[in-house]
Amino acid sequence: MIGVFDSGLGGLSVLAAIAQALPDADLVYLADTAHVPWGDKDDTFIRQRVLKIGQHLVEQGCTLIVVACNTATATAVSALRETLPDIPVVGVEPGIKPAAAASKSGRIAVLTTTATARSERLSRLIRQHAGTVQVDILPCPGWATRVETLHLDDPGFAETARLQLAPTLDAGADQIVLGCTHYAFLAPVLAPIVAGQATLLDVADAVARQCVRLAGACALGHGQLTLLATAQPERLQAALPALGLHRLATRLAASARLTTT
Ligand code: DGL
């Protein structure tokens, strides 16, 4: 079984790609909805949640763990790998490398949570992979919560996003990296704002390919999906159609369940 987790709904964008790439795998998704968002919490808190959830998923029988969250990966993936030395752990990191490679203008931007923006891991990723390309880091507080509340496309948000992106677009950024898994669900609002100037870049498919490489026996199951949440599990299930994830809904083996971690 493959365990996938995030603070809330964002990681479902990664889960959908994994489900498509591994149609027979049994998947369990855990949303830490009692504590969402993680992006404005301190590093110690995020690390505690990540270690607890990782342990819980292993106790449920998961033999491959996907941290479907840039914030959790930036803050705690190394600690999680240390505590689970026998379990492959796949993290999600902003696509700085492909964006820098694709940039013609020599300038890109990455949209992240506050915690990811301040992380040493993001600085290192940029040092290692951006080369001479300039990277604008744009923290977007409140955006993950907008996805959680399913306020995806109100006109006020389009204006907020336009103002947020204007300086980097005006400066010539031609690749906009979605550095938080929640933001994939805001792409329909962001795409018209950047149209003609820049491309949005999400890494969900690349993460799914990495899962295929590591899946081993996990690839062979009954193609079932279990949804767990630390609060209001019914909201998680109800969000699937609202997020356009109808295919995931058909894989659900049972109703979403409350879990304590
Ligand atoms: N989806 C997460 C990420 O990729 C975290 C969002 C949040 O909880 O603040 O960063």
Side-chain angles (χ1 to χ4, degrees):
M1 196 157 64
I2 302 176
V4 182
F5 72 92
D6 182 30
S7 58
L9 302 176
L12 291 171
S13 59
V14 177
L15 181 73
I18 296 170
Q20 197 172 345
L22 290 164
D24 297 326
D26 290 325
L27 305 169
V28 53
Y29 182 84
L30 195 156
D32 193 17
T33 39
H35 302 103
V36 68
W38 284 343
D40 58 7
K41 308 283 194 303
D42 65 48
D43 291 2
T44 307
F45 180 85
I46 298 167
R47 206 168 293 125
Q48 278 169 358
R49 293 309 299 153
V50 167
L51 297 186
K52 266 199 161 169
I53 291 169
Q55 190 63 46
H56 181 75
L57 289 172
V58 170
E59 284 162 12
Q60 303 294 305
C62 294
T63 51
L64 171 62
I65 302 285
V66 182
V67 185
C69 174
N70 293 264
T71 304
T73 302
T75 310
V77 77
S78 307
L80 184 62
R81 287 186 175 128
E82 272 170 35
T83 59
L84 301 175
D86 301 326
I87 303 277
V89 175
V90 177
V92 175
E93 292 193 290
I96 299 294
K97 189 177 181 180
S103 177
K104 293 193 171 62
S105 65
R107 189 167 187 141
I108 65 174
V110 55
L111 309 178
T112 69
T113 65
T114 307
T116 302
R118 69 166 175 257
S119 69
E120 170 53 29
R121 212 175 157 100
L122 179 61
S123 309
R124 201 184 330 139
L125 193 69
I126 291 170
R127 277 199 306 277
Q128 287 175 346
H129 297 298
T132 57
V133 170
Q134 180 164 345
V135 183
D136 296 329
I137 301 173
L138 305 182
C140 303
W143 287 24
T145 301
R146 175 167 294 282
V147 174
E148 289 299 313
T149 54
L150 299 177
H151 288 121
L152 300 177
D153 55 4
D154 67 59
F157 175 62
E159 193 44 36
T160 304
R162 194 180 305 282
L163 290 172
Q164 171 80 323
L165 289 166
T168 192
L169 292 173
D170 290 348
D174 62 355
Q175 303 287 321
I176 309 293
V177 180
L178 302 179
C180 167
T181 53
H182 280 74
Y183 302 167
F185 297 115
L186 298 173
V189 180
L190 301 175
I193 295 172
V194 307
Q197 287 175 276
T199 305
L200 297 177
L201 198 140
D202 179 50
V203 296
D205 288 335
V207 172
R209 285 195 295 277
Q210 177 67 351
C211 290
V212 169
R213 281 191 282 274
L214 295 174
C218 286
L220 309 167
H222 300 96
Q224 289 189 339
L225 169 63
T226 303
L227 293 179
L228 304 175
T230 54
Q232 297 183 296
E234 67 289 346
R235 290 201 65 241
L236 185 58
Q237 191 164 345
L240 295 179
L243 297 172
L245 300 173
H246 305 277
R247 283 227 204 122
L248 272 185
T250 62
R251 238 164 124 149
L252 266 179
S255 298
R257 292 201 312 269
L258 191 67
T259 188
T260 44
T261 63

